[in-house]
């Protein structure tokens, strides 16, 4: 471990052994610590320096849904940190044939140093974490996508120089991305506005939680069906697919419900002139975003995608590295 890494990880703050199930469980100070660590690891990678705090450690990666970014960035990330990643498709695990979550958790805890899981239910992840003695990282559920938001906060901090006071407008489905952006943004004192048709607005309990956090940390949350109002003066415009994984059957219904919520040049013009456009990807050009916007000069979607690697390397180092 290099001297500089030791300096960063030597802060009083110690995240060793913690789970990462939702940003709700983390303080702004802890999130800033992870972002600092991510910036450090990114810089070392760009300089070609090898930093291996996870030598001899193994991450199990359980996928019950498809993935490009999450799978590849976790697997490449753990290798770069000196460790090993094992891809575990749920169809191949006994979990897929009915073995209980608690038995799986106890068995995997005996082999591995951390588990990353992408699945449907947040409660399932919580149960897995409850019965595991190693850190469990949420690689996306129907409710939250905290790893994506950690990378997004890193991207905003790099490009805008700060998080507090930034106005982010999320347009589209009140889904896992909307939930994690509301929670993460509220914790960092950002102004978050969500524009979605009434039927597709974010979960009420999560919205209330985010409002409370925003109040505590000097930010704000607005949920509306009015795109113009939500977009006005935005530093960041964010969108995501209208039909998430598992909602493919609703595709047609959703295309019509969201038709007035596309992020296109007309909409972008309502935001600040230096607005950045963000999308977690994968994207559907011509649906939630026009090709002109996602492939245009305001788009930072590939910076976000790259930052998945750096942010998750920080997360794994903090949670799975030595005390
Ligand atoms: N943004 C994201 O999580 O992408 P994948 O579904 O490809 O992992
Ligand atoms: N809301 C999307 C995010 C994909 C990264 C989904 O859950 O499919």
């Amino acid at each position: 471990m290099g001297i500089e890494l030791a300096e960063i990880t030597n802060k009083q703050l110690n995240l060793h052994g913690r789970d990462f199930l939702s940003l709700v469980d983390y303080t702004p100070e802890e999130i800033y610590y992870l972002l600092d660590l991510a910036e450090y690891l990114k810089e070392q990678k760009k300089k070609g320096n090898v930093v291996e705090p996870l030598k001899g450690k193994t991450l199990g990666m359980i996928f019950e849904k498809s993935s490009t970014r999450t799978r590849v960035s976790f697997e490449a990330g753990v290798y770069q940190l000196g460790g090993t990643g094992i891809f575990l498709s749920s169809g191949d695990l006994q979990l897929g044939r009915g073995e209980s979550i608690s038995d799986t958790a106890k068995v995997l805890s005996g082999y591995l140093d951390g588990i990353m899981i992408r699945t449907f239910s947040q409660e399932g992840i919580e149960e897995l974490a409850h019965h595991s003695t190693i850190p469990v990282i949420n690689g996306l559920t129907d409710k939250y996508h905290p790893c994506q938001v950690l990378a997004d906060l890193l991207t905003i901090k790099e490009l805008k120089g700060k998080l507090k006071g930034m106005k982010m407008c999320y347009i589209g489905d009140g889904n896992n991305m909307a939930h994690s952006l509301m929670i993460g943004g509220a914790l960092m004192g950002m102004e978050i506005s969500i524009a979605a048709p009434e039927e597709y607005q974010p979960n009420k309990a999560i919205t209330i939680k985010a409002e409370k956090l925003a109040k505590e940390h000097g930010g704000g949350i607005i949920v509306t069906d009015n795109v113009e109002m939500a977009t006005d003066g935005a530093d960041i415009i964010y969108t995501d697919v209208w039909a998430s994984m598992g909602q493919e059957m609703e595709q047609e219904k959703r295309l019509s419900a969201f038709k007035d919520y596309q992020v296109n040049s007309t909409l972008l013009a309502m935001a600040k002139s230096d607005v950045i456009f963000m999308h977690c990807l994968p994207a559907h050009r011509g649906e939630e975003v026009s090709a002109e916007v996602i492939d245009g000069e305001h788009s930072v979607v590939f910076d976000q995608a790259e930052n998945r690697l750096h942010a998750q390397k920080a997360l794994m180092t903090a949670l799975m590295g030595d005390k």
Side-chain angles (χ1 to χ4, degrees):
M1 192 182 289
I3 281 177
E4 289 156 290
L5 179 61
E7 274 168 19
I8 295 179
T9 52
N10 252 347
K11 281 191 183 173
Q12 292 294 59
L13 243 166
N14 193 340
L15 303 182
H16 177 85
R18 288 266 297 273
D19 297 316
F20 189 73
L21 306 184
S22 159
L23 288 164
V24 170
D25 307 322
Y26 281 71
T27 63
E29 196 193 6
E30 289 168 342
I31 295 170
Y32 275 122
Y33 166 73
L34 290 169
L35 298 179
D36 285 351
L37 191 51
E39 279 170 8
Y40 167 78
L41 291 168
K42 182 171 181 175
E43 197 188 317
Q44 297 309 310
K45 170 98 174 52
K46 303 274 173 201
K47 285 183 183 158
N49 294 341
V50 175
V51 183
E52 297 189 320
L54 296 189
K55 250 201 168 112
K57 309 260 182 188
T58 310
L59 176 77
M61 306 185 298
I62 304 176
F63 282 92
E64 295 195 308
K65 292 178 177 176
S66 309
S67 170
T68 297
R69 281 143 289 269
T70 306
R71 155 118 200 233
V72 180
S73 56
F74 265 105
E75 193 161 337
V78 72
Y79 281 119
Q80 287 169 21
L81 294 168
T84 303
I86 304 181
F87 175 73
L88 301 161
S89 156
S90 64
D92 299 333
L93 291 171
Q94 296 288 9
L95 195 59
R97 290 184 55 250
E99 185 168 16
S100 73
I101 292 181
S102 61
D103 284 357
T104 305
K106 288 170 195 165
V107 170
L108 293 182
S109 294
Y111 305 144
L112 303 169
D113 301 284
I115 300 171
M116 191 290 303
I117 176 164
R118 167 168 285 195
T119 185
F120 294 86
S121 124
Q122 184 73 16
E123 290 71 28
I125 283 207
E126 281 162 13
E127 190 184 347
L128 185 78
H130 178 73
H131 293 284
S132 298
T133 55
I134 53 175
V136 173
I137 297 172
N138 181 353
L140 178 145
T141 61
D142 290 345
K143 195 169 178 182
Y144 289 125
H145 196 2
C147 289
Q148 178 68 50
V149 172
L150 192 64
D152 295 341
L153 293 173
L154 177 63
T155 309
I156 297 166
K157 188 166 172 279
E158 283 176 343
L159 296 173
K160 294 286 183 187
K162 63 175 184 168
L163 295 171
K164 200 170 173 66
M166 285 283 113
K167 180 168 179 187
M168 176 191 279
C169 169
Y170 173 95
I171 299 178
D173 188 22
N175 59 15
N176 43 12
M177 276 312 308
H179 293 156
S180 282
L181 286 168
M182 285 200 303
I183 297 290
L187 278 166
M188 307 322 273
M190 294 170 68
E191 301 287 335
I192 310 288
S193 55
I194 308 277
E198 223 160 284
E199 202 190 326
Y200 295 97
Q201 290 180 353
N203 174 293
K204 277 272 164 349
I206 296 173
T207 306
I208 291 168
K209 178 78 192 160
E211 283 167 351
K212 189 171 166 279
L213 288 171
K215 215 174 207 169
E216 277 169 38
H217 299 289
I221 303 284
I222 292 171
V223 178
T224 174
D225 62 358
N226 186 323
V227 173
E228 284 82 11
M229 190 187 121
T231 315
D232 186 40
D235 298 291
I236 302 139
I237 303 268
Y238 204 119
T239 192
D240 183 18
V241 289
W242 291 338
S244 285
M245 290 181 276
Q247 295 173 333
E248 289 78 8
M249 304 287 282
E250 296 176 27
Q251 177 74 14
E252 284 309 308
K253 184 179 154 218
R254 283 169 173 267
L255 274 179
S256 114
F258 286 104
K259 67 178 178 0
D260 298 327
Y261 290 81
Q262 185 190 71
V263 179
N264 49 37
S265 302
T266 314
L267 190 142
L268 215 65
M270 295 186 229
K272 284 197 181 146
S273 57
D274 63 349
V275 65
I276 54 172
F277 169 74
M278 301 182 81
H279 191 310
C280 57
L281 304 179
H284 294 166
R285 285 167 175 77
E287 292 182 21
E288 75 275 7
V289 60
S290 67
E292 201 182 9
V293 167
I294 195 167
D295 300 319
E297 56 177 356
H298 295 275
S299 177
V300 301
V301 299
F302 299 113
D303 297 286
Q304 289 177 260
E306 183 192 323
N307 276 340
R308 291 293 302 276
L309 174 74
H310 309 299
Q312 289 158 194
K313 281 173 73 178
L315 192 60
M316 289 188 281
T317 299
L319 272 44
M320 294 166 55
D322 291 334
K323 257 189 197 155

